[in-house]
Amino acid sequence: MEKTLSKELTGRIRGIKLLIFDVDGVLTDGKIVYTDGGAEIKAFDVRDGHGIKLVMRSGIDVALITARQSSVVDHRAKDLGIDLVYQGMKDKLAAFEDILDKKSLRPEDAAYVGDDIIDLPVLKRAGFSCAVSDAVDEVRGMVDYVAVKRGGRGAAREICELILKAQGKWDGIVKGYLQRW
């Protein structure tokens, strides 16, 4: 189910050069499992990961900002080829500003996907703010776009496709896959 976007919002999405995700509750369903040995386990959706790879291949940088610290996040980021990973960030806005500075970008060049109140400062500054469908009310009420899908269950892929379609890149991506067969 695809939502219709305003021309103004579509115009803002066309300028996105950087897509930043929170991790827990956005790229995962928010659950954390610990083994008896203390190892942490998180589940990531492979279609979300493929969407992130497609965005990166289309020339959009991707970053992760999370308040928690987890080696699982490092493994997932490495698997996806994401170099900009900020963990243990209680002040996500400081991380956001640092990423913009490193990439020589403006806030309006960036999209951010969050799910909880710790994400609000970045969501207010980003050029395109998004939430997963199961985000807290305060987040869903202030973002530009609320995904139909839940965190860790396709929301990241939905947002990746939305950006690629608004930028006119999606049809070429699909055609590229069809030409390979």
Side-chain angles (χ1 to χ4, degrees):
M1 178 173 163
E2 200 163 305
K3 296 180 182 182
T4 304
L5 302 177
S6 70
K7 287 183 182 179
E8 184 271 333
L9 187 56
T10 301
R12 281 196 283 142
I13 296 169
R14 284 187 186 125
I16 296 301
K17 298 176 176 107
L18 170 68
L19 176 55
I20 305 171
F21 293 97
D22 173 32
V23 177
D24 294 308
V26 172
L27 295 182
T28 75
D29 65 4
K31 292 183 178 107
I32 300 168
V33 177
Y34 291 101
T35 66
D36 286 343
E40 186 174 309
I41 299 171
K42 297 177 192 260
F44 296 93
D45 186 296
V46 338
R47 282 188 219 130
D48 284 349
H50 191 214
I52 290 168
K53 294 293 280 184
L54 294 173
V55 161
M56 293 168 66
R57 288 179 197 145
S58 76
I60 298 170
D61 286 318
V62 174
L64 306 178
I65 302 175
T66 178
R68 296 190 73 254
Q69 184 77 37
S70 171
S71 61
V72 176
V73 173
D74 288 329
H75 294 300
R76 183 62 171 157
K78 184 179 179 188
D79 182 50
L80 294 173
I82 300 171
D83 297 325
L84 295 167
V85 181
Y86 289 70
Q87 294 200 64
M89 299 304 301
K90 304 302 182 219
D91 181 357
K92 291 188 175 189
L93 189 57
F96 178 73
E97 298 289 346
D98 189 63
I99 294 168
L100 293 179
D101 187 52
K102 283 182 179 173
K103 290 293 182 179
S104 299
L105 296 173
R106 303 165 301 157
E108 54 268 26
D109 297 327
Y112 184 81
V113 187
D115 73 312
D116 209 342
I117 58 174
I118 192 170
D119 299 307
L120 288 172
V122 181
L123 289 165
K124 282 183 64 175
R125 289 272 288 145
F128 178 50
S129 59
C130 308
V132 297
S133 68
D134 54 335
V136 298
D137 291 343
E138 293 82 1
V139 169
R140 284 194 326 266
M142 69 138 306
V143 296
D144 297 314
Y145 181 82
V146 177
V148 173
K149 306 226 173 162
R150 300 170 57 96
R153 304 273 191 227
R157 173 61 175 260
E158 177 183 337
I159 291 163
C160 289
E161 286 187 24
L162 178 85
I163 291 169
L164 292 168
K165 288 174 183 176
Q167 292 186 354
K169 298 174 180 177
W170 183 250
D171 289 344
I173 290 168
V174 173
K175 284 179 187 172
Y177 277 94
L178 290 172
Q179 289 173 354
R180 291 182 184 158
W181 306 106

